[in-house]
């Protein structure tokens, strides 16, 4: 039987590493990524093979994975990397993400945030400052995709994508110029937070694998230099996880205590800007949901839109939100009406 090209190239690479050909090659779901991902198995175990046309993204992931491994962080080992072919082999971490663990334990117990899931989130959140602060202290940021980028420019791209990928699809007659002043205020306020740390960029429960009861971290290839708050907002306000408010507050305390072990972090300064980071993250998430869900008709992303909009609406009206973003709030309510019609 002739294998398709992806599987054939990966199988040859696997044989070079392991010494024998894989007995099976299974296609894995890549979620929002354009990468093509496979599990290659033989009698001694399995590896995951990734095929990705973006050499820059591959270079960033492999370099970051190797750096994080060197400083003792739980990320997959890279067993082979062939940049000219756009492929690499990495540890097989199984199929269970932190979000899977939460959903299964919630369905089993009927509890909003079961003990087993809470413990796993505790471990993940406690580990986050090691990426952001400890690993960043010896990281050559030129390895990152946006090595020389300004965080404010990243935010502007996110907000532009929110308008083009989401607002334009739901409210085609809406004038994006109405949001300009609010976006400028939000960018200025968020970008003024202390930076220079490693910004994981997509630190959420689908990018954390559970292996033997412990979290192992993936999909950090978009990481760059930035502030601390964004990553915590990403995991605690992931709409599909629906973490209860009291549990969010407890995990926030866990994070701040852990971060304080690696750098002087002012709790008051962190919290003064934190709600604006939550709003910024929700705008980024909704741009992805617009592209992947409304544009490409992927069910998971379409299904996630109402929860994400509800989260954004609550954050914008939260008394702790330091900015009053009236036009964005009005737009959000129109989006809620437009997606529920």
């Amino acid at each position: 039987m002739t294998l398709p090209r992806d599987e054939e190239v990966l199988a040859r690479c696997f044989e070079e590493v392991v010494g024998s050909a894989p007995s099976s090659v299974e296609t894995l779901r890549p979620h929002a990524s354009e990468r093509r991902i496979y599990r290659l198995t033989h009698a001694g175990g399995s590896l995951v093979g990734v095929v990705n046309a973006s050499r820059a993204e591959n270079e960033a992931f492999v370099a970051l994975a190797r750096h994080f491994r060197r400083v003792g962080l739980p990320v997959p080992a890279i067993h082979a990397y062939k940049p000219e072919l756009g492929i690499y082999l990495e540890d097989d971490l199984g199929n269970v993400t932190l979000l899977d663990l939460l959903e299964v334990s919630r369905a089993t117990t009927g509890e909003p945030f079961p003990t087993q899931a809470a413990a796993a989130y505790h471990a993940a959140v406690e580990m986050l400052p090691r990426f952001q602060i400890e690993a960043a202290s010896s990281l050559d940021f030129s390895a990152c995709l946006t090595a020389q980028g300004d965080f404010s420019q990243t935010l502007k791209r996110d907000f532009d994508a929110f308008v083009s990928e989401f607002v334009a699809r739901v409210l085609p007659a809406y004038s994006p110029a109405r949001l300009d002043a609010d976006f400028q205020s939000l960018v200025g306020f968020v970008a003024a937070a202390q930076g220079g740390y490693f910004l994981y960029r997509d630190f959420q429960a689908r990018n954390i694998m559970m292996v033997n009861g412990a979290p192992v971290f993936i999909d950090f290839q978009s990481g760059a230099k930035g502030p601390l708050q964004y990553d915590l907002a990403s995991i605690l306000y992931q709409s599909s996880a629906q973490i209860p408010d009291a549990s969010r507050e407890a995990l926030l305390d866990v994070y701040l205590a852990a971060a304080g072990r690696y750098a002087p972090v002012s709790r008051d300064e962190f919290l003064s800007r934190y709600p604006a980071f939550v709003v910024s993250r929700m705008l980024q998430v909704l741009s992805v949901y617009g592209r992947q869900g409304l544009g490409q008709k992927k069910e998971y992303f379409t299904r996630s839109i109402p929860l994400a909009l509800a989260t954004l609406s609550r954050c914008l009206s939260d008394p702790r939100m330091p900015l009053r973003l009236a036009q964005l709030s009005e737009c959000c309510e129109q989006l809620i009406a437009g997606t529920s019609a």
Side-chain angles (χ1 to χ4, degrees), residues 49-61:
V50 178
V51 182
N52 184 12
S54 172
R55 181 162 181 164
E57 189 175 282
N58 293 339
E59 296 279 357
F61 178 78

Side-chain angles (χ1 to χ4, degrees), residues 2-317:
T2 302
L3 292 172
R5 184 180 182 279
D6 279 0
E7 290 92 326
E8 182 182 355
V9 171
L10 287 170
R12 287 201 301 267
C13 185
F14 182 91
E15 188 167 3
E16 289 176 16
V17 171
V18 174
S20 61
S23 55
S24 66
V25 181
E26 172 191 359
T27 302
L28 302 180
R29 186 178 58 177
H31 297 304
S33 173
E34 298 301 319
R35 291 166 293 168
R36 302 186 297 281
I37 306 175
Y38 304 87
R39 172 174 289 123
L40 296 93
T41 304
H42 74 137
S46 61
L47 294 174
V48 164
V50 178
V51 182
N52 184 12
S54 172
R55 181 162 181 164
E57 189 175 282
N58 293 339
E59 296 279 357
F61 178 78
V62 169
L64 288 170
R66 288 172 172 165
H67 175 73
F68 294 148
R69 293 277 296 188
R70 281 194 296 271
V71 297
L73 290 171
V75 301
I78 305 299
H79 295 271
Y81 173 42
K82 295 187 178 294
E84 70 283 0
L85 298 176
I87 65 171
Y88 53 89
L89 295 178
E90 62 181 346
D91 285 343
D92 183 0
L93 304 177
N95 299 317
V96 180
T97 68
L98 176 56
L99 186 61
D100 294 330
L101 173 65
L102 173 61
E103 291 175 342
V104 169
S105 57
R106 184 177 275 160
T108 302
T109 66
E111 299 170 356
F113 202 53
T115 302
Q116 183 185 17
Y121 267 86
H122 184 294
V125 164
E126 194 169 43
M127 186 66 68
L128 175 57
R130 293 196 60 198
F131 285 91
Q132 295 177 311
I133 304 171
E134 182 188 22
S137 67
S138 57
L139 175 63
D140 178 359
F141 278 94
S142 68
C144 298
L145 271 172
T146 53
Q148 306 304 318
D150 182 331
F151 183 59
S152 64
Q153 295 303 313
T154 299
L155 292 172
K156 290 175 183 176
R157 287 193 294 270
D158 287 347
F159 299 164
D160 287 345
F162 167 71
V163 171
S164 62
E165 300 284 3
F166 192 74
V167 176
R169 285 189 166 101
V170 179
L171 305 172
Y174 189 89
S175 171
R178 296 170 60 183
L179 297 173
D180 286 350
D182 280 2
F183 282 169
Q184 289 176 18
S185 296
L186 188 56
V187 167
F189 186 80
V190 169
Q194 182 179 352
Y197 305 104
F198 178 72
L199 172 67
Y200 197 113
R201 182 67 173 150
D202 199 17
F203 192 79
Q204 46 104 346
R206 291 208 304 166
N207 288 338
I208 300 172
M209 307 302 297
M210 298 305 300
V211 182
N212 298 322
V216 180
F217 301 86
I218 60 172
D219 280 6
F220 36 74
Q221 62 274 356
S222 297
K225 189 175 288 188
L228 295 173
Q229 291 96 326
Y230 189 94
D231 289 333
L232 188 67
S234 299
I235 189 167
L236 296 190
Y237 284 85
Q238 184 174 357
S239 300
S240 54
Q242 300 184 70
I243 300 174
D245 288 341
S247 299
R248 281 197 188 112
E249 294 299 318
L251 288 167
L252 171 62
D253 289 339
V254 168
Y255 171 82
L256 289 171
R261 294 197 286 271
Y262 300 98
V265 177
S266 166
R267 180 185 181 91
D268 289 344
E269 169 63 18
F270 186 97
L271 294 179
S272 70
R273 298 184 187 276
Y274 183 57
F277 276 89
V278 178
V279 169
S280 299
R281 172 61 178 179
M282 296 316 303
L283 296 178
Q284 189 274 331
V285 165
L286 283 164
S287 73
V288 174
Y289 290 175
R291 182 176 66 256
Q292 299 281 343
L294 301 179
Q296 299 181 19
K297 309 301 181 185
K298 294 182 180 179
E299 182 183 355
Y300 170 84
F301 298 97
T302 305
R303 193 170 64 244
S304 300
I305 287 172
L307 283 173
L309 281 173
T311 301
L312 175 61
S313 178
R314 286 196 304 273
C315 293
L316 287 167
S317 60

